[in-house]
Amino acid sequence: MRKWTRREFIRVSGTAAGAAALAAGSGVFAGAGAADAKHVPGLDPGTDGDVVPSFCEICFWKCGIQVHVKKGRATKIQPLGSHPLSNGMLCPRGLGGTGMLYDPDRLRTPLVRTGGRGGQKFREATWDEAIDRVAAAMKKIKDTHGAEALALFYHGTGSGFFKKLMKAYGTPNMAAPSYAQCRGPRDEAWVLTYGHTVGSPEPVDMAAADCIVLLGPPLGETMHHTAVQEFAGAVSRGADIITVDPRFSIAAGKSRHWLPIRPGTDIALLLAWIHVILEEGLYDSKFIEEHAGGLDLLRKAVEDHTPAWAYPITGIRPEQIVATARVIGQRRPRSVIHPGRHVTWYGDDTQRLRAVAILNALLGNYGRRGGLFVPSKPELQGPKWPKPAGPPAGVNDSFAFAGEGVTTSIVDATLTGKPYDIRGWFVYGTNLPISFPNPYRLEKAIQKLDLLVAVDTMPMEITGWADVVLPECTYLERYDDLYACAWKKPFVALRQPVVEPLYDSKPGWWIARQLAKKLGLGRYLPVDDMQEYLREKARLSGLDFDVLAKRGFQLVPGPPAFVEDGLSPVFDTPSKKIELYSETLEAAGLDPVPRYTPHPQAPPGMLRLLFGRVPVHTFGRTTNAPILSEIMAENQVWVHNAVARKHGLKRGQMVRLVNQDGKRSDPIKLRATEAIRRDCCYMPHGFGHGDKRLRRAYGRGASDSALITRFEVDPLMGGTGMNVNFVSIEAVEA
Ligand SMILES: Nc1nc2c(c(=O)[nH]1)N[C@H]1C(S)=C(S)[C@@H](COP(=O)(O)OP(=O)(O)OC[C@H]3O[C@@H](n4cnc5c(=O)[nH]c(N)nc54)[C@H](O)[C@@H]3O)O[C@H]1N2
Ligand SMILES: Nc1nc2c(c(=O)[nH]1)N[C@H]1C(S)=C(S)[C@@H](COP(=O)(O)OP(=O)(O)OC[C@H]3O[C@@H](n4cnc5c(=O)[nH]c(N)nc54)[C@H](O)[C@@H]3O)O[C@H]1N2
Ligand code: SF4
Ligand SMILES: [Mo]
């Protein structure tokens, strides 16, 4: 087996390189496999072992991979040459996937809690015992409190079978932090404006854009692979990049315009841009006339929102607002405001994203090259299984515009017993204590439960709280259901085992199946041979399993994604048009056009706490992984030089952050820098792990989650704005 040396890895990942990382053709994604792009996927002549195609699960871009296997051991991961989402390259996390597979700290067997809840004390159990225990506790909850008293928290490709299990069991309460703590507001803003969600992968044609506006998404630090490739391409083509971020991110370093906005004021900037674009006639009047409604009402709503009005709010000079508005308008239709992904910032996030949707609509970039294309998802046909009866209403029904389950509503119901008492949590592939706002409140809810089950690959924080831990094998050791991807060209991809599951870990589909059988619900999940199921599903969907197994994916014919190729836009809103003015929101007593409302700014002596990503890690899920943890073992907190000086703090020294409610972080290294505003600080998320079984990551760096005790709830869909906490900084004595 050939091992990566640390130097090689850093060269490939470009992590240390910061701004250099995005230079086109080098750095972040110029993986060792780039040259293999020419090879037929899955058939790499350069090795004497087997090569198995599959797709990555280290983040949710799901790049195509080919994994080299020698004597039953995965030796390296390379990009799957022509896969639409890897395009011949992978990011450092994807390349480092074998580190997660062979992490000696992995969960090895089912575990049953022995000490108090949260005490991280367990004994090993057999699968028989573990499944028996979980099924018995699930039965008891259903018999005593009703099926809806059990909730599923989930994230990731493998969750599909657990959702089926919950449907069969009869609970409607299923939620993912990737909705109410991440992309939910953006998807609902799109539904309100265009009649459909943004979806993942984000359909932004950066490959052909002449102007790209980033409100936040620091592409290069947030690493969704082909998005970053396309962005780098746009940079090297000389496209106008406008980055709006309180922090000088990698993307800001590649931008023609960096607008260091006062945090929490983006709506004011967006309204001022809309004002200028309407005033100067820079919008696509033909497109708007044909496809949108409410222009006059929009015009009226923004008439006072001049750049001069926005200046004292945002801190962005009027002439800069006008200049950037002109660039945005003049480059249309190849001009696009990126919808972003992690948009739960201040609680008015759906309205901010409505403003983003409206501005995009004015540019006439819908379905256009260099704008927002309109992908279609391949429709898969499964074998006909019996359908369970529909479950009752979910706990998040109080949010009129929530299209998915809201995690916080489940926690609220657990704590308050309203609208009904939730007694059990089934947690698949999500690490609630670090992804949830106010982890202290979460702990209180957990302590009330009759049952907490965690299905995970690693001894992450959530498993430390569980009654029963079920060890899933990693994405390299299992089949998952087929992945139908809506992209420029739609395709279907296969996840397949590359090596046998290590230890006593099992695939998620198998775990769900055993539980279904034990619960007497086996008929709803009748899969004992996953390959056979996938073969049948592929056949019924007009695909060929053998081709999928050999090539990793199959392109599927679909309607055109671009107007230039024959797409004719259709909008599934009540008016069947793009809704610049939303009567639906008006009828619900909400702002029909987004309105700026001020948010509290940092009190004297404190800084707003902002957080985000680093290229080599996905949240906290990779921070214990061999290789990746060596590249970056701990995080640092960015603070402006002047602020550091004022507090008598020096670059590189250890500090603690203390939030407005007196919560203290673990020690973290100070990164004093010019690259951030003076009213905020910034730290990468995913560090400061608290479970001792994570031997590499335990206690390394500090956790942002520990400081997020406050959050603002989005009244439309229940998203939790988490950028509303303030911290002061104390030196840690050496
Ligand atoms: N404080 C704070 N909170 C946040 C964020 C933040 O930046 N800061 N970000 C928000 C965002 S954008 C999101 S999307 C959410 C994400 O929040 P989560 O959904 O919780 O995502 P992760 O933190 O990656 O946790 C993934 C868990 O799944 C496990 N896992 C990994 N692979 C597998 C697998 O194959 N099978 C199983 N069963 N388990 C697996 C990991 O070990 C880990 O425990 O968090 C949100 N919450
Ligand atoms: N390497 C890596 N890549 C990832 C992930 C990962 O864990 N690691 N996670 C994936 C996931 S699930 C998601 S959701 C995305 C992350 O989603 P993104 O949408 O890329 O968001 P963040 O990483 O949270 O970055 C937020 C940025 O917004 C800035 N910001 C903070 N407050 C404000 C404000 O008020 N206004 C403006 N204009 N900017 C502000 C911050 O300084 C930061 O640069 O990344 C994805 N890609
Ligand atoms: S962007 Fe990186 S981590 Fe995400 S799927 Fe692709 S290779 Fe994996
Ligand atoms: Mo996310």
Side-chain angles (χ1 to χ4, degrees):
M1 171 187 158
R2 181 175 170 278
K3 275 201 176 135
W4 284 101
T5 64
R6 197 182 138 84
R7 255 183 74 224
E8 273 176 314
F9 218 96
I10 289 175
R11 183 165 47 77
V12 171
S13 68
T15 46
L22 268 176
S26 77
V28 178
F29 28 70
D36 296 331
K38 291 180 220 77
H39 297 158
V40 178
L43 299 175
D44 185 337
T47 64
D48 50 4
D50 287 324
V51 181
V52 185
S54 187
F55 64 89
C56 185
E57 183 78 7
I58 298 179
C59 84
F60 302 102
W61 205 249
K62 307 186 185 187
C63 297
I65 54 175
Q66 47 180 328
V67 188
H68 295 243
V69 188
K70 221 170 181 177
K71 297 194 179 115
R73 213 179 144 83
T75 53
K76 67 177 170 184
I77 299 181
Q78 292 194 306
L80 193 49
S82 53
H83 188 285
L85 291 182
S86 41
N87 197 23
M89 303 175 205
L90 291 179
C91 88
R93 296 165 297 159
L95 293 169
T98 52
M100 290 175 83
L101 168 63
Y102 295 119
D103 189 333
D105 293 346
R106 268 179 62 174
L107 293 169
R108 293 168 181 237
T109 66
L111 299 172
V112 170
R113 177 163 67 81
T114 50
R117 194 177 261 151
Q120 302 171 12
K121 291 224 160 57
F122 299 93
R123 68 171 167 81
E124 294 187 353
T126 62
W127 276 100
D128 275 349
E129 186 200 347
I131 296 285
D132 274 353
R133 273 179 179 262
V134 175
M138 284 173 71
K139 258 195 181 124
K140 191 166 168 203
I141 288 175
K142 189 168 173 174
D143 293 346
T144 326
H145 305 282
E148 64 279 11
L150 184 75
L152 172 72
F153 291 92
Y154 64 91
H155 201 178
T157 315
S159 60
F161 275 68
F162 291 93
K163 288 190 224 165
K164 285 189 171 65
L165 174 68
M166 293 298 144
K167 266 194 202 135
Y169 175 86
T171 180
N173 294 314
M174 306 183 213
S178 56
Y179 179 74
Q181 282 70 51
C182 175
R183 65 182 160 73
R186 151 202 111 166
D187 281 334
E188 303 316 338
W190 246 243
V191 169
L192 286 159
T193 314
Y194 293 104
H196 59 75
T197 62
V198 174
S200 172
E202 287 81 14
V204 184
D205 188 25
M206 287 188 282
D210 293 332
C211 171
I212 301 169
V213 182
L214 302 175
L215 290 138
L219 298 176
E221 285 153 304
T222 65
M223 184 67 69
H224 276 161
H225 183 61
T226 31
V228 180
Q229 271 188 45
E230 288 194 0
F231 179 66
V235 170
S236 61
R237 276 190 290 105
D240 280 295
I241 315 286
I242 300 169
T243 290
V244 183
D245 197 315
R247 188 175 63 93
F248 190 70
S249 59
I250 292 180
K254 296 288 156 192
S255 301
R256 199 153 287 160
H257 302 266
W258 172 44
L259 310 184
I261 196 165
R262 176 170 295 126
T265 64
D266 292 60
I267 295 184
L269 174 65
L270 285 158
L271 294 176
W273 272 342
I274 293 172
H275 174 99
V276 175
I277 281 171
L278 290 177
E279 190 90 334
E280 300 195 0
L282 292 169
Y283 63 100
D284 186 336
S285 52
K286 189 163 166 286
F287 175 82
I288 290 295
E289 200 169 301
E290 201 175 331
H291 293 294
L295 180 66
D296 291 341
L297 290 165
L298 172 68
R299 206 188 281 279
K300 180 132 193 44
V302 300
E303 78 190 341
D304 297 333
H305 296 332
T306 59
W309 164 82
Y311 173 40
I313 300 172
T314 58
I316 313 293
R317 290 194 318 279
E319 57 277 18
Q320 239 182 330
I321 298 179
V322 172
T324 45
R326 287 181 183 153
V327 173
I328 295 168
Q330 284 159 359
R331 299 282 178 273
R332 75 180 157 74
R334 292 182 182 238
S335 177
V336 64
I337 325 299
H338 196 292
R341 191 171 180 112
H342 175 243
V343 293
T344 43
W345 290 351
Y346 302 97
D348 53 2
D349 306 302
T350 308
Q351 290 289 10
R352 185 180 74 254
L353 271 294
R354 271 270 296 155
V356 170
I358 290 167
L359 184 50
N360 273 309
L362 292 175
L363 301 174
N365 67 20
Y366 190 87
R368 299 296 298 272
R369 290 217 192 283
L372 296 164
F373 60 97
V374 186
S376 56
K377 195 169 180 140
E379 273 194 33
L380 296 174
Q381 304 294 328
K384 295 275 168 285
W385 294 347
K387 278 225 168 1
V395 290
N396 61 308
D397 275 21
S398 52
F399 296 109
F401 301 101
E404 296 179 29
V406 175
T407 45
T408 1
S409 294
I410 293 175
V411 176
D412 292 346
T414 309
L415 282 167
T416 63
K418 289 183 185 130
Y420 43 77
D421 214 4
I422 296 215
R423 310 296 289 239
W425 291 4
F426 200 107
V427 184
Y428 175 88
T430 168
N431 193 13
L432 298 176
I434 70 154
S435 58
F436 211 78
N438 199 345
Y440 311 98
R441 192 161 177 271
L442 181 87
E443 278 173 33
K444 283 200 185 116
I446 288 176
Q447 293 294 13
K448 282 195 73 189
L449 293 171
D450 296 340
L451 174 68
L452 174 54
V453 188
V455 184
D456 209 299
T457 52
M458 292 295 299
M460 291 286 171
E461 283 78 353
I462 186 65
T463 66
W465 291 95
D467 305 320
V468 183
V469 181
L470 304 176
E472 187 173 31
C473 53
T474 68
Y475 70 106
L476 296 171
E477 303 161 284
R478 66 177 197 244
Y479 284 113
D480 275 324
D481 215 335
L482 293 180
Y483 168 46
C485 181
W487 189 236
K488 290 176 187 173
K489 287 187 179 147
F491 67 92
V492 174
L494 175 71
R495 162 155 305 132
Q496 58 184 334
V498 168
V499 292
E500 290 290 314
L502 291 179
Y503 320 115
D504 201 7
S505 62
K506 299 280 186 191
W509 66 265
W510 182 91
I511 302 171
R513 166 70 177 153
Q514 305 315 307
L515 283 168
K517 281 202 290 195
K518 264 280 157 356
L519 287 160
L521 302 168
R523 64 192 178 285
Y524 298 115
L525 236 87
V527 174
D528 283 312
D529 181 334
M530 190 64 172
Q531 199 195 98
E532 193 183 294
Y533 159 79
L534 291 169
R535 189 176 285 284
E536 180 64 0
K537 185 160 179 173
R539 191 186 66 77
L540 292 167
S541 308
L543 301 161
D544 184 331
F545 178 83
D546 293 321
V547 172
L548 284 168
K550 195 169 166 192
R551 299 183 61 92
F553 73 98
Q554 258 187 289
L555 292 177
V556 174
F562 291 98
V563 169
E564 288 88 339
D565 297 335
L567 165 82
S568 37
V570 192
F571 303 100
D572 194 14
T573 55
S575 62
K576 302 294 168 209
K577 291 197 157 199
I578 297 174
E579 305 208 334
L580 303 175
Y581 183 96
S582 169
E583 288 179 9
T584 309
L585 288 177
E586 189 173 41
L590 296 157
D591 293 327
V593 170
R595 197 159 53 88
Y596 168 71
T597 39
H599 297 286
Q601 293 297 323
M606 295 189 102
L607 303 169
R608 184 185 297 276
L609 175 68
L610 302 178
F611 48 86
R613 311 281 175 255
V614 287
V616 283
H617 287 297
T618 302
F619 314 113
R621 61 164 65 195
T622 52
T623 40
N624 196 67
I627 311 177
L628 296 179
S629 65
E630 281 171 41
I631 297 173
M632 185 171 180
E634 59 185 47
N635 54 355
Q636 302 188 351
V637 58
W638 300 35
V639 171
H640 192 275
N641 278 328
V643 176
R645 265 198 310 275
K646 201 169 136 203
H647 287 78
L649 299 168
K650 292 211 166 54
R651 168 180 274 263
Q653 89 170 84
M654 297 305 283
V655 296
R656 278 184 205 270
L657 308 182
V658 188
N659 87 350
Q660 71 281 328
D661 298 316
K663 294 290 179 196
R664 256 185 178 68
S665 75
D666 285 328
I668 180 171
K669 202 176 265 180
L670 184 80
R671 173 169 174 177
T673 170
E674 292 296 316
I676 189 163
R677 285 175 57 99
R678 296 172 192 214
D679 53 3
C680 50
C681 64
Y682 173 86
M683 65 195 282
H685 168 69
F687 295 85
H689 273 294
D691 197 305
K692 294 197 177 84
R693 296 169 296 166
L694 297 166
R695 285 174 294 180
R696 252 168 265 103
Y698 175 73
R700 303 295 298 270
S703 161
D704 56 334
S705 325
L707 297 164
I708 299 175
T709 45
R710 300 207 180 159
F711 57 93
E712 287 292 332
V713 177
D714 191 316
L716 280 77
M717 48 60 69
T720 57
M722 303 194 281
N723 290 8
V724 298
N725 291 270
F726 303 109
V727 294
S728 52
I729 304 174
E730 336 175 301
V732 172
E733 301 307 325

